[in-house]
Amino acid sequence: MKLLVVAGARPNFMKIAPILRALRNRLDADTRLVHTGQHYDYDMSKVFFDELEIPEPHHFLDVGSGSHAEQTAKVMMAIEKVYETEGPDAVVVVGDVNSTMACAVTAKKLHIKVAHVEAGLRSRDWKMPEEVNRVVTDAVSDWLFVSEPSGVENLRSEGKPADAIHLVGNVMVDTLLWQAGHLKSEDGAVAAGLARPYTVVTLHRPSNVDDADSLRSIVEALGEIGRDMPVVFPAHPRTRKKLEEFGLVEVLGDAARILPPLPYNSFLALWKGADLVLTDSGGLQEETTALGVPCFTVRENTERPITVEMGTNTMVGTSKAGMLAAYDLFRRGERKKGRIPPLWDGKAAERIVDILLRH
Ligand code: UD1
């Protein structure tokens, strides 16, 4: 079976790594890797290939940034040529970024089968570009590989055939457990010159960072938290740009240390040792649940409800008052215990590859 695996943006790289590793041992698979180039900075892309031991892509599409339509169109035009020259039996797409959706739709129109890893997640928030990408990608996918039970329910209620839906666990957790087992320096706090307790923050959702009022209210809350407990903030390039543009670096002042985006292992060491993680990332909600680290999600909804129902995740909203109220409870000792969701055991990618190659 000839398979084409696609990745485009930072959160895709940790998802393809275990799938490629599982495929490497299979003589019945001929695998090609495509990097769309949606993320292109060294610290948003290349460093993850190096650390996660992802092989050089066979095709690099170099699409870069742009409006949603521009980026999606560029990926579609470039991947169509790759499909035509490679002629794969199936394409494997992961997650919910623009590259995922663009490559899935283009494959379907060329009658190439599509496997979607991380299918079925729904925030029901149509203002999130990722929600559009998720729904469209699932609509054209032949294999729907699901990470948590809510995804199975969502796909069933949307009328997807039962034999296309496979609850396999979480490939992001595969990478997490693999890398955590290989960490050279366990102590991210020492590496960052910090002493516990400390908080790690990440923010990049357009709804949080592109609007000056929203970002200001989050930054003001971080300022107060940071005066109580050190805050480290590895900032996505778009977030850093917006902090500077809205004059909010000064508002944060000494209350938080802003860092560039970190490589996978340094970041893992940092948040693994943190007392609290504050984030609007999808992946980090899952990762903190997998390692039992308290997480506040700075959003009004989540497409990953298992992290709240079973894990250590608390939805705190995006208002300053909501964030500070949650922090106040945390400081008074209110901590979620959390359990590990079913099948988040480091073997999701092997299950996926078994199912794919069985067909
Ligand atoms: C994308 C994904 C999002 C994911 C996030 C993780 C979509 C719709 N969004 O959002 O789901 O959580 O990646 O990071 O696909 N930029 C750089 N260097 C880079 C890449 C981006 O400076 O290597 C800057 C550019 O200013 C760019 C902006 O970040 O315009 C946004 O990049 P883009 O790929 O459009 O979306 P992300 O916000 O990164």
Side-chain angles (χ1 to χ4, degrees):
M1 187 174 188
K2 185 161 181 182
L3 286 172
L4 219 137
V5 177
V6 179
R10 184 171 62 176
N12 286 169
F13 306 137
M14 30 297 227
K15 293 171 194 164
I16 60 158
I19 298 172
L20 291 169
R21 204 175 320 114
L23 281 167
R24 216 160 33 212
N25 303 324
R26 299 290 298 247
L27 296 174
D28 43 350
D30 175 12
T31 309
R32 300 279 188 282
L33 175 61
V34 180
H35 183 345
T36 67
Q38 175 173 343
H39 283 174
Y40 43 87
D41 284 350
Y42 176 80
D43 50 10
M44 296 293 285
S45 173
K46 177 81 170 75
V47 69
F48 292 91
F49 275 68
D50 296 345
E51 277 193 321
L52 305 178
E53 296 174 43
I54 303 171
E56 277 289 306
H58 299 84
H59 301 273
F60 179 69
L61 309 184
D62 199 14
V63 300
S65 300
S67 71
H68 284 274
E70 283 166 348
Q71 195 173 55
T72 307
K74 279 201 244 167
V75 175
M76 285 180 156
M77 287 163 71
I79 196 75
E80 190 175 49
K81 294 203 179 71
V82 175
Y83 290 155
E84 277 162 1
T85 48
E86 291 286 2
D89 298 302
V91 53
V92 180
V93 296
V94 298
D96 55 15
V97 303
N98 286 342
S99 300
T100 311
M101 187 269 281
C103 293
V105 170
T106 308
K108 196 64 178 178
K109 289 195 174 171
L110 293 174
H111 306 169
I112 299 164
K113 294 223 179 291
V114 180
H116 184 206
V117 175
E118 209 182 84
L121 299 182
R122 298 287 182 267
S123 66
R124 322 228 178 265
D125 175 357
W126 287 99
K127 292 212 172 100
M128 281 179 88
E130 293 82 2
E131 183 71 356
V132 180
N133 292 339
R134 289 189 277 260
V135 172
V136 174
T137 305
D138 286 343
V140 299
S141 291
D142 301 276
W143 291 274
L144 297 154
F145 293 114
V146 185
S147 54
E148 63 163 85
S150 74
V152 174
E153 278 162 40
N154 294 332
L155 293 168
R156 278 194 193 138
S157 71
E158 290 171 17
K160 300 286 184 308
D163 60 358
I165 305 170
H166 306 276
L167 182 65
V168 289
N170 191 321
V171 285
M172 196 139 191
V173 173
D174 290 8
T175 290
L176 175 61
L177 299 181
W178 175 274
Q179 294 295 124
H182 292 80
L183 270 189
K184 289 197 186 73
S185 162
E186 280 287 318
D187 200 341
V190 172
L194 283 164
R196 285 190 72 174
Y198 67 94
T199 298
V200 171
V201 175
T202 81
L203 294 169
H204 72 279
R205 296 242 152 256
S207 56
N208 281 340
V209 307
D210 285 3
D211 177 75
D213 291 338
S214 306
L215 189 56
R216 174 174 290 274
S217 99
I218 295 171
V219 161
E220 283 176 1
L222 291 180
E224 290 205 19
I225 294 170
R227 278 181 271 284
D228 185 54
M229 168 158 64
V231 169
V232 208
F233 185 179
H236 184 289
R238 86 182 293 140
T239 311
R240 181 178 283 266
K241 259 186 236 166
K242 295 295 175 187
L243 287 169
E244 285 163 6
E245 188 182 322
F246 302 146
L248 293 171
V249 178
E250 297 74 35
V251 175
L252 212 47
D254 294 338
R257 208 155 99 213
I258 302 177
L259 304 176
L262 294 178
Y264 187 88
N265 283 327
S266 318
F267 184 55
L268 169 56
L270 188 66
W271 69 257
K272 189 169 174 271
D275 294 76
L276 179 63
V277 170
L278 252 131
T279 189
D280 60 7
S281 146
L284 203 46
Q285 293 174 55
E286 298 182 331
E287 292 173 317
T288 46
T289 277
L291 293 192
V293 176
C295 176
F296 284 0
T297 295
V298 186
R299 282 174 52 185
E300 304 297 343
N301 50 55
T302 180
E303 60 287 336
R304 291 155 160 100
I306 195 106
T307 60
V308 178
E309 289 153 14
M310 277 187 82
T312 51
N313 190 15
T314 306
M315 306 300 297
V316 301
T318 55
S319 74
K320 180 180 170 186
M323 289 171 67
L324 290 178
Y327 183 70
D328 190 44
L329 289 175
F330 175 84
R331 284 302 272 163
R332 286 197 258 134
E334 199 166 290
R335 311 274 156 105
K336 285 180 81 176
K337 276 269 177 298
R339 284 168 298 139
I340 310 294
L343 301 173
W344 289 20
D345 57 359
K347 298 193 173 100
E350 284 167 33
R351 289 185 199 106
I352 289 169
V353 166
D354 278 345
I355 294 167
L356 269 178
L357 297 183
R358 208 188 301 149
H359 285 69

